[in-house]
Amino acid sequence: MQKQQLTVVVRVRPLNSAEKARKAFQCVFPLDKKRVLLVDPEKFENNILRQNRQHERKFEFDATFGAVSNQEDVHETTTGPIIDSVVQGFNATVFAYGATGSGKTFTMIGTKERPGLMTLMTKALYEKLDGQYQVLLSYMEIYNEIIRDLLNPTGGDLELLEDERGNIRVPGLSSVKAPNLSRIMQILQEGNLRRTQEATMANKTSSRSHALLQVMIVKNQSLHSKLFMIDLAGSERASNTQNRGIRLKEGAAINRSLLALGNVINSLASKTTKYVNYRDSKLTRLLKDSLGGTAKTCMIAHVTPSSSNFEETYNTLMYASRAMNITNKPVRNRPASADQVYAEAMNAIRKEMGSQIKNSSSISGLAARNGLPERTGSRSRPKSISRNSSLTRAPAASTTIDRGRGGSLFTQLKEQYMTLSDKQRKLREKLMAINQEAYSLEMSLISKNAIINAWEKAHQDKTNDSVERLKQDGELQRVRLVELSDQRTKVEKALRKGDENASGLESRMRSLAATNEQREVVKLMVKMAEIEAQKISALSDLAIKGLIMDRTDTSIAKLQKYELVADRLIDGKLDEADRKKLEEEYRLIKNQFHYHLLPLKNIQTTVSWNSMLLPKINNNNNTIIMEERLNSASKKKSEISLPIIANGREKYPTSSAESTTDDDRVNSPVTERLPNI
Ligand SMILES: Nc1ncnc2c1ncn2[C@@H]1O[C@H](COP(=O)(O)OP(=O)(O)OP(=O)(O)O)[C@@H](O)[C@H]1O
């Protein structure tokens, strides 16, 4: 694992008209492709007391871009090479850092006429990826330490979870398929419109949140690599922005997360500090892998050239030069075949088998290896070769090699068997993909139907845009399920036929096998086909478990939120208006939790998708088969139910079923804000 320093570049934007009107002048000068000169405006103030202070400072970075550099220049020099790494399977992060109004959003998002890095990078990625890759996009913002899904505005607040391997995940964050560049542009535009932006004194279109675009590249259903593109909110001084009220509170939250980021950068850059505290903000927790981790990371520091922003510029350049000392250890993700170890083992078996098959097809070779002379035999009665094996008969003096029908037929059957096994493997993989998609659709449909039913019960004839959208989505999902069901029938039919043919070939090969080696070859080939089928079954099992885990994670996040609200309600120190608002929020979360959990409770219906023609793992060893495992998991889930809060006290329903009855749903009907599912 090779260490690699963070790539740190600086972009200086042109002086703008407001700055010129304020009689501000340029105090930052790019000297060449790497160096930048910062001149303290005090130098021109003729202050005798400060005459001896150092007024100029040079900084050197991996690259420096001045006012004349355009978006393409920045991309080609800095982010272009990162795209190559992402294509090779490395995770990467590019983030824009700098004071408010310094040009971060311009660089990352850009304008219609001058698209920024998010567009240029995804475009470059598309040009380099071929059809075997799939691209998924997620777009979120962190606003006042709250994570929101920019692609699913009704999704509510999202939580961060750390799995047992230390990977940070955002359960419930939507990821959207981006089959082409125009879809990406559309997704980005939609997301950007939803981003929290406000005018401040320092910037007319100030981004008040950190925006994180995540591009996931998937190959053979596993993650190939991940690219984070981040437009951070600007660091700001309250005096500069003249912010009050909400803007001031936002500023404090923005600065808190940036302070946490600064602390992480300081700790990582320091040679003495051992402990790095990522936990102080959601931003730093999300960036854990990008700073000091296994990703390739590029920081684009932004400064204004204006003398009025000297202090911010100085701080940014100091941070940036400190960040140059950070080293990551980029690691390529595991190859797309989710089970490299298994694949290697299979290759070893294949190789071994290949050599045995090669040897067994040459009778002379076999005979020679057994220290026996070659035999002559009947060409017309292949079976007699195995029955009356010449190996037990008296050796004949002939050196002619028998490549008669017996030998060649065995070879032909063996080749047919291998081709068939390969075909069966592909069919099983197809079946697995169909099952997985259907499983996920069914889970989503269960939640959707329950929400629609509850809405209709509570609101009768009243229509609602979100409910109508849910209905339309549900309709599309049902159509897709019918398609999948047809596909599954076809694949299963082909699989059954293939299995019949395979067992026919197997018994013919067994009866033709004349030697121990040939018998061994048949055994190995059958074993290999079995292992392939079991492997797919295991992967399928894992994928379904992954879907369940994701849903469970989101449910847990909702439960945590519920606890927070419940605590505040029980605490009771609320005026009437706040209590009412909180109670409504409480009901919404309770609803979300309920609808999200429903598919897990109904797992028996959905699991049928996974059981067809995929062999059950360890079934004959009396270990728990998948259905049982899932059933017991669903049993546990169905025991979870949230209490009702009345007058500031928690009341648990008398039975677990109680909380999920229609009555309960009517008690806490689906509100105007529909729960995300
Ligand atoms: N390189 C550039 N060339 C021309 N105009 C630029 C450049 N960089 C920034 N600008 C302009 O400067 C203004 C402020 O830029 P921008 O909104 O990108 O700043 P920011 O750092 O994202 O601010 P905030 O943190 O407040 O969101 C915008 O009007 C933008 O168009």
Side-chain angles (χ1 to χ4, degrees), residues 165-323:
R165 279 189 242 145
N167 298 321
I168 303 288
R169 303 199 299 138
V170 186
L173 178 70
S174 53
S175 50
V176 182
K177 269 186 201 159
N180 51 47
L181 201 61
S182 63
R183 178 75 184 114
I184 289 186
M185 301 297 293
Q186 192 194 353
I187 292 168
L188 275 178
Q189 273 161 15
E190 278 170 23
N192 289 335
L193 284 178
R194 293 190 190 114
R195 198 174 164 200
T196 312
Q197 260 191 352
E198 294 290 342
T200 67
M201 282 295 283
N203 184 3
K204 266 190 277 179
T205 52
S206 180
S207 311
R208 313 305 293 158
S209 65
H210 309 296
L212 295 91
L213 174 71
Q214 183 176 257
V215 182
M216 276 175 295
I217 294 132
V218 176
K219 188 181 174 189
N220 295 340
Q221 294 173 20
S222 20
L223 184 74
H224 175 71
S225 55
K226 208 164 61 176
L227 169 65
F228 251 140
M229 289 174 262
I230 305 171
D231 176 20
L232 293 176
S235 52
E236 55 197 7
R237 271 188 306 163
S239 61
N240 246 19
T241 51
Q242 295 176 22
N243 286 344
R244 300 281 175 276
I246 296 178
R247 298 284 86 79
L248 192 63
K249 194 174 146 212
E250 272 172 359
I254 293 169
N255 280 345
R256 195 165 49 241
S257 50
L258 289 172
L259 185 70
L261 177 66
N263 289 340
V264 166
I265 291 178
N266 282 345
S267 311
L268 285 167
S270 150
K271 293 210 164 53
T272 49
T273 316
K274 293 232 160 54
Y275 174 68
V276 182
N277 182 10
Y278 292 96
R279 304 205 66 84
D280 271 358
S281 75
K282 294 204 166 129
L283 176 70
T284 43
R285 287 175 69 195
L286 267 165
L287 285 180
K288 195 173 160 193
D289 190 45
S290 311
L291 296 165
T294 56
K296 296 206 171 194
T297 300
C298 172
M299 169 182 184
I300 307 179
H302 291 78
V303 294
T304 81
S306 166
S307 52
S308 53
N309 292 107
F310 170 79
E311 235 173 275
E312 284 88 343
T313 300
Y314 177 79
N315 287 340
T316 302
L317 294 177
M318 284 304 286
Y319 260 138
S321 45
R322 222 166 284 151

Side-chain angles (χ1 to χ4, degrees), residues 379-551:
R379 287 164 183 248
S380 55
R381 290 162 45 231
K383 280 194 179 168
S384 67
I385 296 171
S386 62
R387 302 264 152 78
N388 311 312
S389 170
S390 63
L391 301 179
T392 55
R393 279 203 245 138
S398 167
T399 52
T400 341
I401 299 166
D402 183 355
R403 295 190 192 277
R405 264 189 225 157
S408 64
L409 188 59
F410 184 85
T411 312
Q412 275 171 24
L413 291 177
K414 179 195 72 199
E415 271 155 17
Q416 274 179 31
Y417 189 90
M418 283 173 86
T419 313
L420 186 61
S421 298
D422 207 42
K423 223 166 116 189
Q424 292 292 88
R425 177 181 56 79
K426 284 187 183 138
L427 283 171
R428 285 202 165 86
E429 279 172 357
K430 203 165 166 189
L431 186 62
M432 175 175 89
I434 293 172
N435 286 349
Q436 239 171 283
E437 189 183 340
Y439 195 93
S440 148
L441 283 178
E442 279 199 358
M443 288 218 283
S444 157
L445 262 176
I446 288 174
S447 295
K448 274 199 186 84
N449 288 342
I451 293 172
I452 294 168
N453 286 343
W455 170 273
E456 286 178 344
K457 224 172 194 170
H459 300 269
Q460 274 145 14
D461 297 332
K462 220 171 122 190
T463 54
N464 169 296
D465 281 353
S466 308
V467 173
E468 287 312 308
R469 241 193 339 267
L470 275 188
K471 283 184 184 168
Q472 280 167 13
D473 283 357
E475 207 36 59
L476 289 175
Q477 288 183 337
R478 265 186 288 277
V479 171
R480 178 69 187 143
L481 270 173
V482 173
E483 275 171 26
L484 288 171
S485 172
D486 288 348
Q487 283 178 17
R488 187 173 76 162
T489 312
K490 279 186 197 140
V491 173
E492 279 173 1
K493 202 170 153 199
L495 255 176
R496 282 204 190 90
K497 184 105 194 80
D499 276 349
E500 272 169 30
N501 290 346
S503 71
L505 282 172
E506 182 195 331
S507 49
R508 285 187 72 193
M509 281 191 299
R510 279 193 202 287
S511 61
L512 273 179
T515 65
N516 281 344
E517 301 249 2
Q518 283 183 328
R519 277 187 284 277
E520 192 57 26
V521 164
V522 179
K523 229 162 89 184
L524 261 171
M525 287 204 304
V526 173
K527 186 84 202 148
M528 199 167 105
E530 258 172 34
I531 294 175
E532 289 275 10
Q534 282 188 359
K535 172 194 120 182
I536 296 168
S537 193
L539 284 178
S540 178
D541 187 352
L542 268 179
I544 301 286
K545 273 207 287 190
L547 286 174
I548 293 172
M549 287 298 290
D550 279 353
R551 206 155 253 271

